[in-house]
Each structure stands twice: as C-alpha cells, then as structure tokens.
Amino acid sequence: MKNEYLLLTPGPLSTSESVRQAMLKDWCTWDDEYNKDIVQVIRHKLVQLATQQTGYTSVLMQGSGTASVEATIGSVIGTGGKLLVVDNGAYGARIAQIAQYLNIPCHVVSPGETSQPDLNEMETALAMDPSITHVAIVHCETTTGMLNPIKEITQLAKQQGKIVILDAMSSFGGIPMDIADLGIDFMISSANKCIQGVPGFGFVIAKQGELEKCNGQAHSLSLDLYDQWHCMEANHGKWRFTSPTHTVRAFYQALIELEQEGGVAARFQRYSTNQKTLVAGMRSLGFEPLLSDDLHSPIITSFYSPAHSDYQFKEFYERLKEQGFVIYPGKVSNADCFRIGNIGEVYPADIERLIGAISKAKYWEVNA
C-alpha cells in the first residue's frame, strides 16, 4: 500500500497508509455504526475545528468540492438575492460562473490573478448597490497560492449587513481560523484537502439560523443544502442519497490523525515549514515564485517556468515523476508557470528530497 510518488498538488493529495487502509471495509448506509458513530462524529468534529462558539452546524455533500460550492450558492441565495464575488483566480471565477448558470445576479470584483482585492473598491460596490445580499470569497486561491484578506473583507460585508460565504476549500484544517470570530455564515471545504482525506465529498459549516432560512429555495434536488442537512439532523447522520461510505470512513481516520498531530496549529506549522523550505530551495536552483512572499499561503506556490527554449513542462513533469514526485501545471492566464503544493502527508524532509530531484531534472541546462 505504499505510494509510488508524492502528490505535490492542491488535492487530491498524498494520504497516510492508515487513511487508505480505512477504506478496506464495506459499510451499510442504514447502519447506526456508520451514521451515528462515523457521520455524526465527523459533523461534530468539523464544527469544533471551525469555531469555539455555539450556533454552527455542519452538513456533508456528495461529490467534488465544487459541488458543495454550487450547493451553497444555489441554496443560500434566494429570489431577489444578488452575489458579490471576488475573482482573482480560477476558483473565484468558478463561483461567478455558478451564479451565472443558476441565473443569480452577480457583481464581480476582478483585481487580477496576482493581486488581492482593493478593499475600497469592495466597500464602494457594497455601498452603491443595496441589492447585493451575499458576498463570496475564496480564502486560498490555488491558481497562484495567494491568501485573500478574509478578515477585512468579512468586516466590510458585515458592516453592510451581508451574508458571507467563504470558499475555504484549500485552507480549512491547514490554517487556523475561527469562522464565528470572522463573521462567516457559510464555509465550504472538501475531504481531500488539508484534513488529508480522499476525494468523494465536501462539507459546509454554517450558522444554523441562516441555514434554516434556506428551506425550499434550492435550485437543485441533489444539491439542496438545507434538505441534506435536515435529513442528517432528523435521521442521525443518514444521507438523502447514496453516501460515499469508504471516503467518509477514510475522512474519519484523517480527522483522528489531525488530532494526533496536534490539531490545526501543528499542521499549519508543518505546511508553513514545507513552503518556506520549498521556496528557499527553488530559489537556490534559479526558480522564482510568481507572487511576492507576503502574498504566499502555506498551501501551494506558483513558480515561473524557465525561459530556456528547451524547457517543456511535460518533460520536466515526467522526469520528476520518475524520481517519485508529481507537481502541477500552471493555471495563471498571463504567465508561464507551474505549481508545487506542500499539503498532505508531506514533510520538510520530503521537500528537501524534491529539491534534489529538481536539480537532477533540469535537463535544459544539460542541453545548453
């Protein structure tokens, strides 16, 4: 059950052997051993990770992280609602695209992929358009690796009485936060990110009072956030439709391992050490990050591709894969980049081995 290579990506990511082993048993979706002892415990632990305050609940949703984002956008924003979304990467743009598909009016703030949003621009937009009811922001925009200023944006939104939706897909479980202190109404993440589970479901942690207001206004049957939550509440963890049982059990194991590591603070420290080790090592080999250091997250980092005419990402990728490492192509529209993640079952010693592998994989210098 050993992995052939490390996934240095924003997810799916490399998992522990014990997380993978947790998927080797079949489960009945009607059994209390599954629903009460696994699903309900997961829901409770997620809320505890998100905030120390009361009034929050959680709901698990089948599918990708994007499915949970769409479930939230399509269930939370009712008739007459309007969304303001920050688009400084592919995932902010995806939220705007979801709103378009669902015929939800949307105001988009687009500072560009390498810039944080202008808070003055956002404040003006909120003040000038009272029809805006909801604000959505991606915490870690893995297009570049940027962390957005969610505290300041949420404060602006709350001053104007708006509901705040946070896409914390690639940050929850890896970066300390208290969503109640921040004023977040709905926070979305996925099983295969910083909790270090495997793909198959996402989850939403929400103010229960705000979630209860969503009854009857979903744009989709299978992505009805309220109805899914109500079913789990009324039936002690039962899912409305087929539950991804093996993925859920793996996630339960991953939550235990997060606690054993020392919680989110300890995982944040490991990820941060990984990222700093990565940037220092890459710079020593002549690679430069796309973003300035003050904008980096501990999740993933974009690097400019070599300017050498012989360089091809695919060749570079394959040479690293042969040495046991898988990296990620770039997603920035106006810069030739590649990305390296450092979340998952990855440690500083792994990053140091990666730097050695990259030094060997620089075939364009050998050909120079």
Side-chain angles (χ1 to χ4, degrees):
M1 292 191 64
K2 297 292 184 182
N3 283 326
E4 294 181 11
Y5 43 72
L6 278 181
L7 289 171
L8 300 172
T9 71
L13 36 73
S14 289
T15 55
S16 69
E17 186 171 350
S18 47
V19 165
R20 298 192 298 278
Q21 286 177 336
M23 294 186 285
L24 296 180
K25 176 181 175 179
D26 297 328
W27 299 84
C28 174
T29 59
W30 283 93
D31 200 296
D32 284 348
E33 185 183 5
Y34 175 71
N35 291 312
K36 288 184 178 180
D37 299 343
I38 297 177
V39 177
Q40 292 293 73
V41 172
I42 287 173
R43 294 180 65 212
H44 177 70
K45 286 181 179 292
L46 286 174
V47 174
Q48 286 186 318
L49 284 177
T51 181
Q52 298 302 305
Q53 300 185 37
T54 60
Y56 281 81
T57 186
S58 68
V59 54
L60 315 183
M61 297 293 296
Q62 298 95 326
S64 66
T66 297
S68 288
V69 174
E70 185 163 347
T72 304
I73 299 300
S75 300
V76 171
I77 305 173
T79 303
K82 184 174 182 178
L83 178 66
L84 182 150
V85 61
V86 174
D87 169 11
N88 59 348
Y91 300 97
R94 188 174 295 176
I95 293 174
Q97 185 180 23
I98 289 170
Q100 180 183 19
Y101 265 73
L102 299 177
N103 294 315
I104 294 171
C106 186
H107 178 99
V108 180
V109 175
S110 300
E113 294 166 320
T114 58
S115 299
Q116 291 184 331
D118 185 316
L119 297 177
N120 291 327
E121 179 186 353
M122 293 196 67
E123 185 175 18
T124 299
L126 292 170
M128 296 294 290
D129 190 350
S131 66
I132 294 172
T133 54
H134 296 72
V135 174
I137 178 73
V138 176
H139 188 196
C140 179
E141 181 51 82
T142 54
T143 303
T144 58
M146 181 186 297
L147 274 185
N148 278 317
I150 58 173
K151 180 179 180 180
E152 293 79 2
I153 290 171
T154 301
Q155 286 177 342
L156 286 178
K158 288 302 174 183
Q159 287 169 5
Q160 301 289 336
K162 313 304 180 185
I163 299 297
V164 177
I165 299 168
L166 178 66
D167 178 338
M169 203 66 60
S170 298
S171 60
F172 181 70
I175 298 177
M177 69 179 86
D178 187 307
I179 64 172
D181 286 346
L182 289 168
I184 305 298
D185 298 286
F186 296 87
M187 190 222 75
I188 312 155
S189 192
S190 180
N192 59 290
K193 300 290 187 175
C194 293
I195 304 294
Q196 298 184 185
V198 300
F201 72 95
F203 51 87
V204 180
I205 302 169
K207 287 183 180 177
Q208 184 166 328
E210 292 299 329
L211 182 54
E212 289 172 344
K213 295 177 184 178
C214 301
N215 186 10
Q217 63 184 23
H219 290 67
S220 165
L221 171 65
S222 62
L223 298 180
D224 187 331
L225 193 68
Y226 170 83
D227 209 31
Q228 181 92 334
W229 171 78
H230 184 264
C231 182
M232 288 184 170
E233 287 287 296
N235 298 287
H236 310 292
K238 180 73 174 63
W239 301 56
R240 288 182 304 154
F241 309 125
T242 303
S243 167
T245 52
H246 299 80
T247 296
V248 172
R249 182 58 183 84
F251 189 75
Y252 178 91
Q253 176 64 28
L255 282 170
I256 292 173
E257 293 178 15
L258 173 61
E259 294 170 359
Q260 291 172 341
E261 185 172 350
V264 176
R267 187 153 290 179
F268 171 72
Q269 184 61 51
R270 171 162 63 88
Y271 288 172
S272 297
T273 301
N274 286 348
Q275 198 271 341
K276 290 173 183 175
T277 303
L278 172 67
V279 171
M282 291 295 282
R283 281 184 168 140
S284 74
L285 297 177
F287 294 93
E288 277 301 316
L290 173 71
L291 301 177
S292 60
D293 289 356
D294 62 313
L295 295 180
H296 284 168
S297 73
I299 307 301
I300 192 168
T301 307
S302 290
F303 294 93
Y304 284 107
S305 297
H308 198 285
S309 60
D310 285 346
Y311 170 81
Q312 295 291 332
F313 174 77
K314 182 65 174 174
E315 174 71 14
F316 184 43
Y317 173 93
E318 292 295 342
R319 286 172 179 255
L320 287 178
K321 186 176 178 181
E322 289 172 0
Q323 297 182 73
F325 301 95
V326 168
I327 63 172
Y328 228 46
K331 209 165 189 174
V332 179
S333 58
N334 60 356
D336 186 5
C337 298
F338 61 88
R339 292 176 288 170
I340 301 178
N342 37 248
I343 61 176
E345 192 71 0
V346 178
Y347 295 85
D350 297 313
I351 301 298
E352 291 171 359
R353 290 192 301 109
L354 168 70
I355 297 303
I358 289 175
S359 179
K360 294 178 182 178
K362 294 171 68 179
Y363 67 92
W364 57 91
E365 290 189 350
V366 175
N367 297 340

